Amino acid sequence: MYAYDELDRTLLHERVEEFRDQVKRRLSGELTEDEFKILRLQNGVYLQLHAYMFRVAIPYGTLSSKQLRALAHVARRYDRGYGHFTTRQNIQFNWIKLAELPDALADLAEVGIHAMQTSGNNMRNVTSDQWAGVAPGEVEDPRIWSELLRQHTTLHPEFSFLPRKFKIAITASEHDRAAIKIHDIGLRLHKNADGETGFEVLVGGGLGRTPFIAKTIKPFVHGRDILSYVEAILRVYNQYGRRDNIYKARIKILVHELGIEKFGKEVEEEWQQLRDSALTLDDAAIEEVRSRFSYPAYEKLPHMPDELKQAAHDPVFERWRKNSVFPHKVQGYSIVTLSLKPVGGPPGDATAEQMDVIADLADRYSFGEIRVGHEQNLALPHVAKRDLPALWKALDKAGLATPNVNLVSDIIACPGLDYCSLANARSIPIAQELTRRFANHDTAGLIGRLHINISGCINACGHHHVGHIGILGVEKNGEEFYQITIGGRADESAALGTLIGPSVPYAEVADVVEDIVEAYLALRDSPDELFIDTVKRLGVEPFRERVYATR
Amino acid sequence: MTSPLEQKKIRITGPSVVTANRTRDGVVIYRTAQQGWSAQLADAAIVRTSDDARALLAEAVADDVGAIGAYIAPVEIKDNGVIAPGNLREHIRSEGLTIELPVSA
C-alpha cells in the first residue's frame, strides 16, 4: 500500500471544497452548464442516459480494505448499491445525484480516494499491472513509477488542457497485464546491459474509431529521466496535437501522421531541453516514494501446506484453484483473482455487500489489500496457501468464486446502451447471454484461454479491437447490429482483431460466438493450442466460412 | 440509436418530444406544454413540425438551471393515445435498463 502524506490529504480536501462550491454555484444558476461541464469532468462526473455517472480513480489498481469499504459506503448511501469496475482501474457509480456528489467525494477523501482527472482532456489515472509487487520475475514494483508520474501530472497546469485525454500504463513483467500497447504512452520497466533500471517507452497506442498498437519510441530511458522524457512527449503532443477535430486529437493520430521517426526526433529535441532540469529524479526522490509503499510481513511458509493437500480432494475447490489462483513471488503465498463475471451477471459489477465481504476477506487473508485489474476483476495479492480453502468457501458464499478467469465467460464489456449516452447498442445483455451459453465451467476449461471483449460503440471502452473475439455494437436503421472481429490481443503481443464479415443482429450474436468457438475446437492442432494461436495459424477464413455458411 | 449528442440539424419526420436530464439529480425529464418539466413521458408536449420542435427545444435549452442536455427525441403515438418512446435508446431512458440491477437481496 502507498501511504499518502499531509500534502496529498490537504490537496484532496481542498479539491472537495472547491468542487462543493462549484456544484453550489451550478445549482443556483450562477454557473451555466457550459461553464460547469469542464469542472465536473475534471472531477469524474459525466452525464449518462439516466443520471450522472461518477468515476473514481484507483491509482495503479491498489486498494486498501478501508478504501474498498468506503466505495461500498458510496454505493450504498449515494447510489443504488453497486459499482462498476472499468477497464482502466476505475470504479463507476451510475446513479449519483449532483447535489450529493460533494459529500460522496468528501467521504472518499477521508480514505485517500478521489476522482481527479478521471475524465476530461488531461492525464488520466496512471494504471499498472494488478499483480505489481507480487508477480514472480518482476523487474521491480512498477507502482513506484506510477506514483511518481501520478504526483507529477496531477493538476499539472501544462497538462490540464491537452488536445484530448491522455493515458499511461506501466508494466514490469514479461507478460503484460496492463495492456500498455493500447495506451497513449506505454512503459515497460526493464534493466539494460549495465543492470540499470529504465523503461522501454512506447507511444501512440489506443483504440476507439482509429485503433493503433503503440510503437517503441525509445528502447531505454533511465528511470531518473522518465519524468522529463514523458514531459517531452506531452509537450510535443500539446504543441502539434489537433484541437480542431475531436476524432483526430489523440496522440496516436499525431504519431501516425508524423511517423514514429519524425515524432521521436521532435521528442528528442524537446527532451534535450529538459533532461538535466529539475525533472531529473535523484535517488532520494525515488526512495522517498518507494519508502511510502508498505509491504506485508510475510511468514516463512511451506510451498504445499497440509490444508491445501486436503482440500485438493474436492474437485470443485480444485477447479477454482487451478483457474483463479496464481503464483506469488514469496513461497507459501498466492495471488487470487476474484471473478466479477458470474453467470448471467453484468461484467465488472460488484454490490456494496460484495465489496464489504471482499474487504473483510482482504483483512483476514491478504494483509488488507485488494487489487483491481483492467479485465474488470479484483485480486487478493497476498494469500497464504494454507488459507486458500477457507477463502474459497467465503468467496463462493458471496458469489465471487466463479472459476472462469481468462476463460470464455470472463468477458470484458462496457456499460453499453443500458447506461451510456454515447452507445449505439447494448453490451451487457450480450455478455450475459454468452455467460449462460458457456455456463458449464468444465466445457469452458476445455476451450481454454479465450477473451471476449464487447463495446457498445466505436469509442471502444470494452476494448473490442483487442479481444480474441471482439464484438462491436453498431446501429443499422434503428436496430442493434454487431460486428465481430477475431485475433485481437492486449498483451505483450498486442494485435488488432480482423473483421470476419457483415454485422449480425442482436439475436444472433451468441450463436455466432458459439459457431466461432466450435470452429476453433475442430481446427485446433491440440488441446494446448489456444484460440488466439489457432487464429494466427489459420487466419480468419475458416472462421468466416463457418459463421456465414448458413447465414 | 445514433446518439442525439450528435444531433446537428433539427428536422423531424414524426411526432417528437424534447427530453433532458434534471440538473440536480440527472433524472430523465420531458418538456411539457406548460413550459415545465415532467419525469413522465405521458406529460410531454408533442411536436409534429420542425419549426415547433425548434421552438420547444429553444424554450427547454433556455432553462439552463433546471435541465441539462436537452434534445429532440422521436415518439410513437399509439392508437389509444399513449405516448411511447420512438427508439430503443429512448425506451431505455424512459423505462429503465433492459437488465436487472446487480443489487443483493
Side-chain angles (χ1 to χ4, degrees), chain A residues 11-12 17 39 76 107 112 118 199 201 218 259 335 349 364 370 374 399 448 469 480 492 529 545 551:
Chain A
L11 186 149
L12 288 197
E17 291 316 305
L39 304 174
R76 198 176 280 120
D107 292 352
T118 55
F199 297 89
V201 180
K218 206 166 180 66
I335 304 165
D349 283 8
R364 200 175 312 154
I370 303 102
H374 89 272
I469 298 175
E480 296 168 288
E492 61 281 4
E529 187 180 55
E545 278 174 21
R551 288 187 172 84

Side-chain angles (χ1 to χ4, degrees), chain A residues 380-443:
Chain A
L380 297 179
H382 319 285
V383 180
K385 287 182 173 179
R386 66 172 179 226
D387 294 331
L388 286 170
L391 172 64
W392 168 66
K393 279 182 188 163
L395 288 173
D396 193 38
K397 201 173 160 190
L400 293 163
T402 311
N404 62 349
V405 175
N406 292 326
L407 300 180
V408 63
S409 56
D410 184 5
I411 296 168
I412 292 174
C414 73
L417 189 58
D418 276 296
Y419 291 99
C420 179
S421 61
L422 297 175
N424 294 318
R426 288 172 290 167
S427 301
I428 295 170
I430 297 280
Q432 290 174 309
E433 176 59 17
L434 285 169
T435 62
R436 289 185 200 104
R437 297 283 181 107
F438 295 100
N440 185 317
H441 299 308
D442 291 328
T443 305

Side-chain angles (χ1 to χ4, degrees), chain B residues 9-10 13 15 20 22-25 28-29 38 40 44 48 58 60-61 65 67 73 75 81 86-87 97 100-101 105:
Chain B
K9 292 179 185 169
I10 296 172
T13 55
R22 197 158 59 200
T23 301
R24 69 173 184 273
D25 56 11
V28 174
I29 49 177
S38 170
Q40 304 303 319
R48 296 174 189 275
V61 168
V65 179
V75 290
N87 60 34
L97 309 186
E100 286 182 23
L101 292 184

Side-chain angles (χ1 to χ4, degrees), chain A residues 26-27 29 32-33 49-52 80 82 97-99 349 351 353 417-419 421 423-424 426 428 432 475 478 480, chain B residues 1-3 5-6 21-28 64-65 67-68 88-89 92-93 96-99 101-104:
Chain A
R26 170 67 186 124
L27 292 173
T32 66
E33 177 58 21
L49 289 188
H50 312 276
Y52 291 97
R80 294 197 180 176
Y82 67 99
K97 295 178 176 67
L98 182 61
D349 283 8
T351 65
E353 288 74 13
L417 189 58
D418 276 296
Y419 291 99
S421 61
N424 294 318
R426 288 172 290 167
I428 295 170
Q432 290 174 309
E475 182 214 350
E480 296 168 288
Chain B
M1 274 65 69
T2 299
S3 169
L5 301 181
E6 294 170 20
N21 293 78
R22 197 158 59 200
T23 301
R24 69 173 184 273
D25 56 11
V27 163
V28 174
D64 185 65
V65 179
I68 165 176
L88 178 59
R89 183 182 200 275
I92 290 170
R93 288 182 79 245
L97 309 186
T98 64
I99 56 172
L101 292 184
V103 178
S104 300

Side-chain angles (χ1 to χ4, degrees), chain A residues 16-307:
Chain A
V16 171
E17 291 316 305
E18 180 186 62
F19 190 57
R20 190 185 296 283
D21 182 57
Q22 290 162 350
V23 168
K24 189 177 160 193
R25 288 191 287 147
R26 170 67 186 124
L27 292 173
S28 71
E30 197 180 326
L31 287 178
T32 66
E33 177 58 21
D34 280 349
E35 291 164 335
F36 180 67
K37 185 176 179 182
I38 193 166
L39 304 174
R40 69 170 161 83
L41 287 176
Q42 285 172 348
N43 288 282
V45 183
Y46 289 76
L47 181 69
Q48 296 290 38
L49 289 188
H50 312 276
Y52 291 97
M53 181 270 278
F54 177 40
R55 182 183 292 155
V56 177
I58 301 167
Y60 32 86
T62 297
L63 276 176
S64 69
S65 55
K66 196 174 171 186
Q67 289 173 325
L68 187 55
R69 284 192 193 93
L71 292 172
H73 159 76
V74 166
R76 198 176 280 120
R77 175 155 182 185
Y78 303 105
D79 210 82
R80 294 197 180 176
Y82 67 99
H84 173 75
F85 290 95
T86 76
T87 52
R88 287 207 78 256
Q89 297 178 326
N90 298 307
I91 184 170
Q92 294 177 178
F93 298 101
N94 292 296
W95 305 94
I96 209 97
K97 295 178 176 67
L98 182 61
E100 294 181 353
L101 257 164
D103 289 340
L105 271 169
D107 292 352
L108 291 175
E110 290 298 319
V111 293
I113 302 184
H114 61 82
M116 282 184 284
Q117 299 181 193
T118 55
S119 59
N121 294 336
N122 48 48
M123 179 73 75
R124 301 293 185 87
N125 188 23
V126 178
T127 59
S128 190
D129 182 354
Q130 69 269 29
W131 294 0
V134 291
E138 184 177 74
V139 175
E140 69 171 31
D141 190 337
R143 294 174 301 167
I144 293 154
W145 303 95
S146 305
E147 176 59 23
L148 281 158
L149 280 162
R150 185 196 71 80
Q151 289 184 9
H152 181 60
T153 56
T154 298
L155 305 184
H156 192 310
E158 200 174 326
F159 308 144
S160 294
F161 298 94
L162 293 168
R164 196 74 182 89
K165 58 188 170 182
F166 203 92
K167 301 172 182 177
I168 296 179
I170 307 180
T171 184
S173 289
E174 277 185 28
H175 178 53
D176 175 13
R177 283 173 290 268
I180 67 167
K181 290 188 176 179
I182 56 170
H183 278 76
D184 296 294
I185 290 179
L187 299 174
R188 184 178 70 84
L189 203 56
H190 65 119
K191 289 192 185 294
N192 66 8
D194 297 328
E196 296 171 309
T197 301
F199 297 89
E200 178 189 1
V201 180
L202 299 98
V203 67
L207 300 176
R209 71 184 60 222
T210 316
F212 286 108
I213 298 299
K215 300 166 185 72
T216 300
I217 183 171
K218 206 166 180 66
F220 188 84
V221 173
H222 197 287
R224 65 175 170 258
D225 295 322
I226 196 60
L227 292 190
S228 61
Y229 196 77
V230 165
E231 181 142 337
I233 292 173
L234 280 158
R235 283 191 171 189
V236 171
Y237 172 52
N238 224 350
Q239 186 172 0
Y240 296 116
R242 289 183 63 168
R243 294 170 193 270
D244 62 323
N245 183 338
I246 192 172
Y247 303 123
K248 296 189 175 181
R250 296 289 292 270
I251 196 172
K252 63 188 175 184
I253 304 295
L254 180 64
V255 172
H256 176 69
E257 289 185 350
L258 283 181
I260 188 67
E261 289 77 19
K262 188 164 189 316
F263 183 82
K265 193 163 168 283
E266 294 281 350
V267 171
E268 195 67 26
E269 282 173 16
E270 187 69 37
W271 188 42
Q272 293 312 318
Q273 309 296 317
L274 291 171
R275 65 178 300 182
D276 293 321
S277 66
L279 293 176
T280 303
L281 289 163
D282 58 27
D283 289 346
I286 297 168
E287 282 313 309
E288 163 65 17
V289 169
R290 197 189 306 273
S291 71
R292 299 189 73 80
F293 279 91
S294 61
Y295 296 90
Y298 296 112
E299 293 176 69
K300 196 169 180 185
L301 296 174
H303 171 66
M304 182 55 79
D306 291 341
E307 293 87 343

